Amino acid sequence: MDYTEAVAYIEEVPKFTKKNKPENTLELIRRIGHPERNMKVIHVAGTNGKGSVCAFLSSILTQAGKQTGLFTSPHLVDITERFQVNQKPVSHEMFTNAFVRVKKEVDEMMKDGFAHPAYFELLFAAGLLMFEEAKVEYLVLETGLGGRLDATNLVERPIACVLTTISLDHMEYLGDTVAKIAGEKAGIIKEGVPVIYDGRNPESEEVILAQAEKMHAPAYRYDDSMREITGKTDKSIDFIINSRYDKKDTKAKTRAKAVTDLYGDLQVTVPYLAEYQIVNSSLAMAALRVIDPEKSISDEQVVRGIANTTWQGRMETVMQDVVLDGAHNADGIKEFIRTVQSVESRKPVSLLFSAVVEKEHEKMIRTICESVHPTSIVVTQVGGARVVPAKELAEEFRKYTKTEVVAKEDVAEAFEEALARKKDSMLFCAGSLYLVGELKAIIRDRMEKGK
């Protein structure tokens, strides 16, 4: 089996099997020898920001000279993006070899009456084998969907758990309130294992603290009073983790330590223009210091690791004044708007947009139009079977804006149209990770052709 055949097999899996009970995945991990038991695992869950937190952690650990594995999802162009060692995707050969080993165990499992693993479960098992082969010391592990029943939650003893921003998304699977979703995410908290969390939402914070106390897990909270922005550009934000934060006595603050207590005052540059990356980088830095209180990894290495982080499709500047952002749910769009507004105060903005069918795309569109004023709007369509026609998205925009809206079914044509219309504006491409993935491939092709 070669790489193309392995990927083709995996892509077919959702057509004949679905998510299994944890016991089924545990059997697969047992059969491949529990590679994760020899790694120091940092487990990350949340609605928004978990991929960014993982990227920041991976960058810091790599900067400090640690052999570091990173498991994230989804991929944007190539499936190997999900598996990184020292911030570089694994090779096609390594991926194929690991998958062949997993497939052999799957075939034996099925002979013994177990179910075929689902898509994500297969990738998780293959990833563990690749990280074992690479002799990874630290594994930064992002959950797929939820937390409590996620395949990654089979890790028995992580060294830290991180819970990022929690909001309404995937409600058909996780629950219809923030508290219910927080309960699923907080399911990754293990007995006595420190948990670092975003404490800005009282509803999710109460659930997280209750679970942490139940599991005797030390808790460290972040809120926006713990940082001070000292400078901004179109590509980065300077901020201080501020030890002089608001220490008014509240119930939550007496039940959890502050992330600032781990650093004191520290000047940091986050290489993104979105303020939400202050939250994500702060959570990552706190997790790092929780697992390394003796500072074998220095503050200088931490700051360098944050400054050198790259993460695809999250307010990512890919060309001069062209930004890709995968915001695709209500909280993500809220943060997207916040960033666009900060740019709009300095220069014009334009928009390339698409969305898939299960997202509340008209609500997203209305929110964008009521909050920002693009000089140009181009819409396109992505997502295969989940597609929303470009013409439909265009009509939704026209309900809420007087700006001319152009619809192009082909993503490459839409991107060229958006570039032609952007003039002196900053072009934001948003609404779907599918759109980001297609644009990444298009931009890579443009660069190879020297355009």
Side-chain angles (χ1 to χ4, degrees):
M1 179 179 285
D2 63 18
Y3 173 76
T4 302
E5 292 168 333
V7 173
Y9 182 94
I10 292 169
E11 297 296 344
E12 287 293 313
V13 167
K15 297 180 182 178
F16 62 83
T17 189
K18 295 182 179 179
K19 183 179 177 72
N20 296 294
K21 292 181 179 179
E23 294 78 10
N24 200 84
T25 309
L26 182 60
E27 177 64 18
L28 175 58
I29 303 306
R30 184 190 70 77
R31 289 183 183 227
I32 65 171
H34 280 290
E36 78 286 355
R37 288 178 176 172
N38 296 317
M39 304 172 199
K40 299 170 184 175
V41 177
I42 305 172
H43 201 185
V44 183
T47 305
N48 291 312
K50 58 185 186 291
S52 294
V53 169
C54 288
F56 285 124
L57 279 166
S58 175
S59 182
I60 294 169
L61 289 164
T62 302
Q63 181 71 42
K66 309 296 184 182
Q67 188 75 350
T68 304
L70 173 63
F71 177 75
T72 62
S73 59
H75 62 277
L76 298 180
V77 180
D78 192 306
I79 202 167
T80 57
E81 294 167 20
R82 294 170 178 254
F83 320 95
Q84 295 184 25
V85 177
N86 297 337
Q87 295 187 280
K88 295 181 180 178
V90 300
S91 68
H92 287 186
E93 180 182 10
M94 178 180 273
F95 174 85
T96 305
N97 290 341
F99 176 72
V100 168
R101 289 177 60 190
V102 170
K103 179 66 167 56
K104 180 181 177 182
E105 297 299 337
V106 168
D107 292 342
E108 292 298 319
M109 279 178 61
M110 294 179 69
K111 288 178 185 177
D112 294 339
F114 290 91
H116 192 292
Y119 179 90
F120 185 80
E121 297 157 5
L122 279 177
L123 293 178
F124 177 51
L128 291 180
L129 287 177
M130 285 183 269
F131 297 133
E132 180 181 51
E133 180 183 344
K135 296 181 172 55
V136 158
E137 178 184 4
Y138 288 89
L139 174 57
V140 182
L141 188 61
E142 180 189 2
T143 59
L145 180 63
R148 182 176 62 91
L149 298 176
D150 194 76
T152 62
N153 206 29
L154 296 177
V155 173
E156 299 150 319
R157 185 73 184 175
I159 57 174
C161 297
V162 183
L163 291 168
T164 67
T165 305
I166 295 173
S167 59
L168 297 176
D169 198 15
H170 299 296
M171 291 180 284
E172 65 272 32
Y173 303 110
L174 303 179
D176 57 1
T177 68
V178 168
K180 289 178 182 178
I181 294 172
E184 292 298 314
K185 308 286 187 183
I188 72 167
I189 299 174
K190 303 294 192 301
E191 180 69 32
V193 175
V195 56
I196 302 92
Y197 70 95
D198 179 354
R200 296 176 300 164
N201 184 315
E203 192 175 358
S204 63
E205 179 170 48
E206 178 55 39
V207 174
I208 292 166
L209 284 174
Q211 182 66 9
E213 288 162 359
K214 177 182 176 183
M215 303 304 290
H216 310 101
Y220 298 82
R221 71 187 301 274
Y222 168 90
D223 70 49
D224 285 337
S225 71
M226 298 176 184
R227 53 83 163 162
E228 176 186 345
I229 295 175
T230 58
K232 279 187 177 183
T233 73
D234 286 341
K235 294 183 179 180
S236 65
I237 302 175
D238 298 329
F239 71 98
I240 295 174
I241 294 182
N242 194 343
S243 63
R244 297 177 297 280
Y245 73 99
D246 178 8
K247 296 187 179 181
K248 291 178 183 176
D249 192 22
T250 67
K251 190 175 181 181
K253 291 176 183 176
T254 60
R255 295 165 69 189
K257 297 178 182 179
V259 299
T260 53
D261 293 343
L262 299 165
Y263 280 98
D265 290 347
L266 188 66
Q267 178 76 48
V268 184
T269 297
V270 62
Y272 298 94
L273 52 81
E275 287 190 22
Y276 63 74
Q277 294 294 21
I278 296 177
V279 181
N280 297 328
S281 58
S282 296
L283 292 173
M285 288 187 288
L288 187 283
R289 193 53 73 225
V290 165
I291 66 173
D292 180 36
E294 301 302 319
K295 291 194 175 185
S296 64
I297 300 174
S298 68
D299 285 353
E300 291 75 17
Q301 289 173 317
V302 171
V303 170
R304 253 194 329 269
I306 295 296
N308 291 330
T309 300
T310 58
W311 189 231
Q312 296 192 91
R314 278 70 171 185
M315 281 296 169
E316 179 190 9
T317 300
V318 290
M319 297 166 56
Q320 180 67 38
D321 285 339
V322 177
V323 177
L324 307 186
D325 189 57
H328 57 276
N329 56 35
D331 196 62
I333 289 296
K334 180 180 75 174
E335 293 294 344
F336 167 77
I337 286 169
R338 198 172 161 197
T339 302
V340 175
Q341 286 176 329
S342 72
V343 172
E344 201 172 36
S345 66
R346 306 189 301 276
K347 64 193 303 181
V349 300
S350 54
L351 179 66
L352 172 57
F353 182 90
S354 193
V356 292
V357 69
E358 73 271 20
K359 300 300 178 181
E360 296 179 297
H361 45 86
E362 183 165 356
K363 184 177 180 180
M364 291 163 63
I365 288 167
R366 179 176 180 176
T367 303
I368 290 170
C369 291
E370 289 176 347
S371 306
V372 296
H373 306 90
T375 57
S376 168
I377 300 172
V378 179
V379 296
T380 189
Q381 56 193 52
V382 294
R386 305 162 70 192
V387 69
V388 180
K391 290 182 179 179
E392 181 179 334
L393 293 172
E395 287 305 314
E396 290 174 356
F397 266 104
R398 291 176 185 130
K399 291 180 185 179
Y400 306 110
T401 182
K402 294 181 180 179
T403 300
E404 182 184 5
V405 182
V406 177
K408 295 282 186 180
E409 293 183 2
D410 181 78
V411 176
E413 291 181 11
F415 186 52
E416 293 298 332
E417 183 73 21
L419 290 176
R421 290 172 171 269
K422 75 178 283 297
K423 298 180 181 178
D424 61 346
S425 72
M426 180 172 286
L427 173 62
F428 289 89
C429 309
S432 171
L433 281 170
Y434 286 98
L435 175 63
V436 170
E438 291 206 33
L439 290 174
K440 293 287 286 188
I442 290 165
I443 292 167
R444 184 172 66 184
D445 186 57
R446 283 171 61 96
M447 292 177 66
E448 289 174 353
K449 293 178 178 176
K451 289 188 177 181

PDB file of all heavy atoms in Angstrom, residues 65-91:
ATOM      1  N   GLY A  65      14.256  22.909  22.490  1.00  0.00           N
ATOM      2  CA  GLY A  65      15.057  21.740  22.145  1.00  0.00           C
ATOM      3  C   GLY A  65      14.448  20.414  22.545  1.00  0.00           C
ATOM      4  O   GLY A  65      15.137  19.384  22.565  1.00  0.00           O
ATOM      5  N   LYS A  66      13.154  20.396  22.843  1.00  0.00           N
ATOM      6  CA  LYS A  66      12.471  19.163  23.209  1.00  0.00           C
ATOM      7  C   LYS A  66      11.932  18.465  21.958  1.00  0.00           C
ATOM      8  O   LYS A  66      11.420  19.120  21.051  1.00  0.00           O
ATOM      9  CB  LYS A  66      11.311  19.449  24.170  1.00  0.00           C
ATOM     10  CG  LYS A  66      11.681  20.298  25.384  1.00  0.00           C
ATOM     11  CD  LYS A  66      12.671  19.608  26.285  1.00  0.00           C
ATOM     12  CE  LYS A  66      12.956  20.439  27.535  1.00  0.00           C
ATOM     13  NZ  LYS A  66      13.957  19.789  28.414  1.00  0.00           N
ATOM     14  N   GLN A  67      12.052  17.145  21.918  1.00  0.00           N
ATOM     15  CA  GLN A  67      11.480  16.377  20.811  1.00  0.00           C
ATOM     16  C   GLN A  67       9.965  16.382  21.001  1.00  0.00           C
ATOM     17  O   GLN A  67       9.440  15.783  21.938  1.00  0.00           O
ATOM     18  CB  GLN A  67      12.037  14.949  20.810  1.00  0.00           C
ATOM     19  CG  GLN A  67      11.654  14.117  19.600  1.00  0.00           C
ATOM     20  CD  GLN A  67      12.427  14.501  18.337  1.00  0.00           C
ATOM     21  OE1 GLN A  67      13.126  15.514  18.308  1.00  0.00           O
ATOM     22  NE2 GLN A  67      12.305  13.699  17.296  1.00  0.00           N
ATOM     23  N   THR A  68       9.258  17.072  20.113  1.00  0.00           N
ATOM     24  CA  THR A  68       7.853  17.409  20.348  1.00  0.00           C
ATOM     25  C   THR A  68       6.951  16.915  19.228  1.00  0.00           C
ATOM     26  O   THR A  68       7.177  17.195  18.051  1.00  0.00           O
ATOM     27  CB  THR A  68       7.691  18.941  20.480  1.00  0.00           C
ATOM     28  OG1 THR A  68       8.555  19.415  21.513  1.00  0.00           O
ATOM     29  CG2 THR A  68       6.252  19.302  20.814  1.00  0.00           C
ATOM     30  N   GLY A  69       5.907  16.196  19.614  1.00  0.00           N
ATOM     31  CA  GLY A  69       4.878  15.776  18.666  1.00  0.00           C
ATOM     32  C   GLY A  69       3.647  16.648  18.806  1.00  0.00           C
ATOM     33  O   GLY A  69       3.341  17.143  19.894  1.00  0.00           O
ATOM     34  N   LEU A  70       2.949  16.843  17.703  1.00  0.00           N
ATOM     35  CA  LEU A  70       1.726  17.649  17.688  1.00  0.00           C
ATOM     36  C   LEU A  70       0.666  16.921  16.873  1.00  0.00           C
ATOM     37  O   LEU A  70       0.888  16.593  15.704  1.00  0.00           O
ATOM     38  CB  LEU A  70       2.004  19.029  17.076  1.00  0.00           C
ATOM     39  CG  LEU A  70       0.804  19.949  16.815  1.00  0.00           C
ATOM     40  CD1 LEU A  70       0.106  20.305  18.119  1.00  0.00           C
ATOM     41  CD2 LEU A  70       1.240  21.216  16.085  1.00  0.00           C
ATOM     42  N   PHE A  71      -0.474  16.645  17.508  1.00  0.00           N
ATOM     43  CA  PHE A  71      -1.594  15.984  16.832  1.00  0.00           C
ATOM     44  C   PHE A  71      -2.782  16.930  16.835  1.00  0.00           C
ATOM     45  O   PHE A  71      -3.287  17.305  17.893  1.00  0.00           O
ATOM     46  CB  PHE A  71      -1.951  14.682  17.557  1.00  0.00           C
ATOM     47  CG  PHE A  71      -3.137  13.959  16.972  1.00  0.00           C
ATOM     48  CD1 PHE A  71      -3.025  13.259  15.776  1.00  0.00           C
ATOM     49  CD2 PHE A  71      -4.374  13.971  17.608  1.00  0.00           C
ATOM     50  CE1 PHE A  71      -4.114  12.584  15.235  1.00  0.00           C
ATOM     51  CE2 PHE A  71      -5.467  13.302  17.078  1.00  0.00           C
ATOM     52  CZ  PHE A  71      -5.330  12.601  15.885  1.00  0.00           C
ATOM     53  N   THR A  72      -3.210  17.372  15.641  1.00  0.00           N
ATOM     54  CA  THR A  72      -4.312  18.321  15.531  1.00  0.00           C
ATOM     55  C   THR A  72      -5.241  17.918  14.390  1.00  0.00           C
ATOM     56  O   THR A  72      -4.941  17.024  13.604  1.00  0.00           O
ATOM     57  CB  THR A  72      -3.801  19.749  15.250  1.00  0.00           C
ATOM     58  OG1 THR A  72      -3.101  19.750  13.992  1.00  0.00           O
ATOM     59  CG2 THR A  72      -2.879  20.237  16.343  1.00  0.00           C
ATOM     60  N   SER A  73      -6.360  18.612  14.293  1.00  0.00           N
ATOM     61  CA  SER A  73      -7.293  18.414  13.184  1.00  0.00           C
ATOM     62  C   SER A  73      -8.133  19.687  13.021  1.00  0.00           C
ATOM     63  O   SER A  73      -8.223  20.480  13.957  1.00  0.00           O
ATOM     64  CB  SER A  73      -8.208  17.223  13.454  1.00  0.00           C
ATOM     65  OG  SER A  73      -8.956  17.408  14.649  1.00  0.00           O
ATOM     66  N   PRO A  74      -8.722  19.888  11.832  1.00  0.00           N
ATOM     67  CA  PRO A  74      -8.572  19.081  10.621  1.00  0.00           C
ATOM     68  C   PRO A  74      -7.307  19.496   9.871  1.00  0.00           C
ATOM     69  O   PRO A  74      -6.627  20.441  10.284  1.00  0.00           O
ATOM     70  CB  PRO A  74      -9.806  19.449   9.814  1.00  0.00           C
ATOM     71  CG  PRO A  74     -10.044  20.894  10.158  1.00  0.00           C
ATOM     72  CD  PRO A  74      -9.665  21.012  11.631  1.00  0.00           C
ATOM     73  N   HIS A  75      -7.013  18.807   8.775  1.00  0.00           N
ATOM     74  CA  HIS A  75      -5.953  19.288   7.893  1.00  0.00           C
ATOM     75  C   HIS A  75      -6.580  20.180   6.828  1.00  0.00           C
ATOM     76  O   HIS A  75      -7.783  20.089   6.552  1.00  0.00           O
ATOM     77  CB  HIS A  75      -5.206  18.121   7.240  1.00  0.00           C
ATOM     78  CG  HIS A  75      -6.048  17.245   6.362  1.00  0.00           C
ATOM     79  ND1 HIS A  75      -6.840  16.219   6.860  1.00  0.00           N
ATOM     80  CD2 HIS A  75      -6.240  17.233   5.009  1.00  0.00           C
ATOM     81  CE1 HIS A  75      -7.466  15.617   5.870  1.00  0.00           C
ATOM     82  NE2 HIS A  75      -7.130  16.214   4.738  1.00  0.00           N
ATOM     83  N   LEU A  76      -5.775  21.047   6.244  1.00  0.00           N
ATOM     84  CA  LEU A  76      -6.291  21.989   5.249  1.00  0.00           C
ATOM     85  C   LEU A  76      -5.976  21.540   3.821  1.00  0.00           C
ATOM     86  O   LEU A  76      -6.804  21.694   2.928  1.00  0.00           O
ATOM     87  CB  LEU A  76      -5.715  23.384   5.494  1.00  0.00           C
ATOM     88  CG  LEU A  76      -6.080  24.009   6.853  1.00  0.00           C
ATOM     89  CD1 LEU A  76      -5.448  25.380   6.991  1.00  0.00           C
ATOM     90  CD2 LEU A  76      -7.593  24.093   7.021  1.00  0.00           C
ATOM     91  N   VAL A  77      -4.791  20.987   3.607  1.00  0.00           N
ATOM     92  CA  VAL A  77      -4.401  20.559   2.258  1.00  0.00           C
ATOM     93  C   VAL A  77      -3.972  19.094   2.252  1.00  0.00           C
ATOM     94  O   VAL A  77      -4.500  18.288   1.499  1.00  0.00           O
ATOM     95  CB  VAL A  77      -3.260  21.451   1.699  1.00  0.00           C
ATOM     96  CG1 VAL A  77      -2.873  20.995   0.292  1.00  0.00           C
ATOM     97  CG2 VAL A  77      -3.683  22.930   1.687  1.00  0.00           C
ATOM     98  N   ASP A  78      -3.024  18.735   3.118  1.00  0.00           N
ATOM     99  CA  ASP A  78      -2.438  17.396   3.128  1.00  0.00           C
ATOM    100  C   ASP A  78      -2.696  16.746   4.484  1.00  0.00           C
ATOM    101  O   ASP A  78      -2.516  17.376   5.522  1.00  0.00           O
ATOM    102  CB  ASP A  78      -0.928  17.507   2.867  1.00  0.00           C
ATOM    103  CG  ASP A  78      -0.268  16.176   2.567  1.00  0.00           C
ATOM    104  OD1 ASP A  78      -0.434  15.249   3.395  1.00  0.00           O
ATOM    105  OD2 ASP A  78       0.405  16.049   1.536  1.00  0.00           O
ATOM    106  N   ILE A  79      -3.096  15.493   4.482  1.00  0.00           N
ATOM    107  CA  ILE A  79      -3.470  14.809   5.725  1.00  0.00           C
ATOM    108  C   ILE A  79      -2.319  14.753   6.726  1.00  0.00           C
ATOM    109  O   ILE A  79      -2.531  14.703   7.938  1.00  0.00           O
ATOM    110  CB  ILE A  79      -4.010  13.391   5.410  1.00  0.00           C
ATOM    111  CG1 ILE A  79      -4.879  12.884   6.563  1.00  0.00           C
ATOM    112  CG2 ILE A  79      -2.885  12.421   5.077  1.00  0.00           C
ATOM    113  CD1 ILE A  79      -5.697  11.654   6.206  1.00  0.00           C
ATOM    114  N   THR A  80      -1.067  14.808   6.238  1.00  0.00           N
ATOM    115  CA  THR A  80       0.085  14.760   7.143  1.00  0.00           C
ATOM    116  C   THR A  80       0.223  16.018   7.987  1.00  0.00           C
ATOM    117  O   THR A  80       0.994  16.027   8.961  1.00  0.00           O
ATOM    118  CB  THR A  80       1.393  14.530   6.361  1.00  0.00           C
ATOM    119  OG1 THR A  80       1.557  15.563   5.380  1.00  0.00           O
ATOM    120  CG2 THR A  80       1.391  13.169   5.665  1.00  0.00           C
ATOM    121  N   GLU A  81      -0.516  17.081   7.664  1.00  0.00           N
ATOM    122  CA  GLU A  81      -0.508  18.283   8.502  1.00  0.00           C
ATOM    123  C   GLU A  81      -0.951  17.975   9.929  1.00  0.00           C
ATOM    124  O   GLU A  81      -0.602  18.692  10.872  1.00  0.00           O
ATOM    125  CB  GLU A  81      -1.447  19.347   7.936  1.00  0.00           C
ATOM    126  CG  GLU A  81      -1.041  19.918   6.593  1.00  0.00           C
ATOM    127  CD  GLU A  81      -2.176  20.725   5.966  1.00  0.00           C
ATOM    128  OE1 GLU A  81      -3.087  21.154   6.705  1.00  0.00           O
ATOM    129  OE2 GLU A  81      -2.169  20.904   4.732  1.00  0.00           O
ATOM    130  N   ARG A  82      -1.736  16.915  10.098  1.00  0.00           N
ATOM    131  CA  ARG A  82      -2.272  16.558  11.410  1.00  0.00           C
ATOM    132  C   ARG A  82      -1.204  16.027  12.358  1.00  0.00           C
ATOM    133  O   ARG A  82      -1.436  15.958  13.571  1.00  0.00           O
ATOM    134  CB  ARG A  82      -3.361  15.486  11.255  1.00  0.00           C
ATOM    135  CG  ARG A  82      -4.603  15.946  10.518  1.00  0.00           C
ATOM    136  CD  ARG A  82      -5.506  14.760  10.213  1.00  0.00           C
ATOM    137  NE  ARG A  82      -6.734  15.147   9.546  1.00  0.00           N
ATOM    138  CZ  ARG A  82      -7.937  15.185  10.114  1.00  0.00           C
ATOM    139  NH1 ARG A  82      -8.064  14.852  11.383  1.00  0.00           N
ATOM    140  NH2 ARG A  82      -8.999  15.533   9.435  1.00  0.00           N
ATOM    141  N   PHE A  83      -0.080  15.600  11.818  1.00  0.00           N
ATOM    142  CA  PHE A  83       0.970  14.958  12.609  1.00  0.00           C
ATOM    143  C   PHE A  83       2.279  15.712  12.398  1.00  0.00           C
ATOM    144  O   PHE A  83       2.870  15.631  11.322  1.00  0.00           O
ATOM    145  CB  PHE A  83       1.154  13.499  12.177  1.00  0.00           C
ATOM    146  CG  PHE A  83      -0.137  12.780  11.888  1.00  0.00           C
ATOM    147  CD1 PHE A  83      -0.624  12.713  10.589  1.00  0.00           C
ATOM    148  CD2 PHE A  83      -0.861  12.184  12.909  1.00  0.00           C
ATOM    149  CE1 PHE A  83      -1.805  12.063  10.313  1.00  0.00           C
ATOM    150  CE2 PHE A  83      -2.051  11.528  12.636  1.00  0.00           C
ATOM    151  CZ  PHE A  83      -2.529  11.466  11.337  1.00  0.00           C
ATOM    152  N   GLN A  84       2.720  16.436  13.391  1.00  0.00           N
ATOM    153  CA  GLN A  84       3.960  17.194  13.257  1.00  0.00           C
ATOM    154  C   GLN A  84       4.970  16.757  14.312  1.00  0.00           C
ATOM    155  O   GLN A  84       4.594  16.443  15.450  1.00  0.00           O
ATOM    156  CB  GLN A  84       3.688  18.692  13.394  1.00  0.00           C
ATOM    157  CG  GLN A  84       2.819  19.264  12.285  1.00  0.00           C
ATOM    158  CD  GLN A  84       2.650  20.758  12.387  1.00  0.00           C
ATOM    159  OE1 GLN A  84       3.489  21.464  12.951  1.00  0.00           O
ATOM    160  NE2 GLN A  84       1.569  21.285  11.828  1.00  0.00           N
ATOM    161  N   VAL A  85       6.217  16.728  13.924  1.00  0.00           N
ATOM    162  CA  VAL A  85       7.323  16.495  14.848  1.00  0.00           C
ATOM    163  C   VAL A  85       8.242  17.704  14.755  1.00  0.00           C
ATOM    164  O   VAL A  85       8.724  18.050  13.676  1.00  0.00           O
ATOM    165  CB  VAL A  85       8.088  15.207  14.505  1.00  0.00           C
ATOM    166  CG1 VAL A  85       9.290  15.044  15.442  1.00  0.00           C
ATOM    167  CG2 VAL A  85       7.173  13.994  14.606  1.00  0.00           C
ATOM    168  N   ASN A  86       8.410  18.379  15.881  1.00  0.00           N
ATOM    169  CA  ASN A  86       9.199  19.618  15.918  1.00  0.00           C
ATOM    170  C   ASN A  86       8.721  20.611  14.863  1.00  0.00           C
ATOM    171  O   ASN A  86       9.491  21.204  14.130  1.00  0.00           O
ATOM    172  CB  ASN A  86      10.690  19.314  15.755  1.00  0.00           C
ATOM    173  CG  ASN A  86      11.216  18.465  16.892  1.00  0.00           C
ATOM    174  OD1 ASN A  86      10.651  18.433  17.981  1.00  0.00           O
ATOM    175  ND2 ASN A  86      12.294  17.740  16.641  1.00  0.00           N
ATOM    176  N   GLN A  87       7.400  20.753  14.787  1.00  0.00           N
ATOM    177  CA  GLN A  87       6.706  21.740  13.948  1.00  0.00           C
ATOM    178  C   GLN A  87       6.747  21.439  12.444  1.00  0.00           C
ATOM    179  O   GLN A  87       6.371  22.294  11.647  1.00  0.00           O
ATOM    180  CB  GLN A  87       7.238  23.154  14.204  1.00  0.00           C
ATOM    181  CG  GLN A  87       6.955  23.645  15.635  1.00  0.00           C
ATOM    182  CD  GLN A  87       7.338  25.082  15.821  1.00  0.00           C
ATOM    183  OE1 GLN A  87       8.496  25.403  16.018  1.00  0.00           O
ATOM    184  NE2 GLN A  87       6.363  25.974  15.732  1.00  0.00           N
ATOM    185  N   LYS A  88       7.159  20.235  12.079  1.00  0.00           N
ATOM    186  CA  LYS A  88       7.166  19.869  10.664  1.00  0.00           C
ATOM    187  C   LYS A  88       6.292  18.647  10.443  1.00  0.00           C
ATOM    188  O   LYS A  88       6.390  17.664  11.193  1.00  0.00           O
ATOM    189  CB  LYS A  88       8.594  19.577  10.198  1.00  0.00           C
ATOM    190  CG  LYS A  88       9.503  20.795  10.237  1.00  0.00           C
ATOM    191  CD  LYS A  88      10.903  20.447   9.740  1.00  0.00           C
ATOM    192  CE  LYS A  88      11.816  21.678   9.779  1.00  0.00           C
ATOM    193  NZ  LYS A  88      13.196  21.352   9.333  1.00  0.00           N
ATOM    194  N   PRO A  89       5.413  18.672   9.424  1.00  0.00           N
ATOM    195  CA  PRO A  89       4.576  17.498   9.148  1.00  0.00           C
ATOM    196  C   PRO A  89       5.434  16.268   8.874  1.00  0.00           C
ATOM    197  O   PRO A  89       6.530  16.362   8.316  1.00  0.00           O
ATOM    198  CB  PRO A  89       3.795  17.911   7.891  1.00  0.00           C
ATOM    199  CG  PRO A  89       3.805  19.404   7.897  1.00  0.00           C
ATOM    200  CD  PRO A  89       5.123  19.793   8.510  1.00  0.00           C
ATOM    201  N   VAL A  90       4.926  15.103   9.267  1.00  0.00           N
ATOM    202  CA  VAL A  90       5.650  13.863   9.000  1.00  0.00           C
ATOM    203  C   VAL A  90       5.686  13.608   7.495  1.00  0.00           C
ATOM    204  O   VAL A  90       4.908  14.168   6.725  1.00  0.00           O
ATOM    205  CB  VAL A  90       4.982  12.673   9.714  1.00  0.00           C
ATOM    206  CG1 VAL A  90       4.968  12.889  11.214  1.00  0.00           C
ATOM    207  CG2 VAL A  90       3.567  12.431   9.178  1.00  0.00           C
ATOM    208  N   SER A  91       6.584  12.748   7.082  1.00  0.00           N
ATOM    209  CA  SER A  91       6.688  12.407   5.656  1.00  0.00           C
ATOM    210  C   SER A  91       5.561  11.480   5.235  1.00  0.00           C
ATOM    211  O   SER A  91       4.939  10.803   6.064  1.00  0.00           O
ATOM    212  CB  SER A  91       8.033  11.715   5.387  1.00  0.00           C
ATOM    213  OG  SER A  91       8.056  10.433   6.001  1.00  0.00           O
TER     214      SER A  91
END
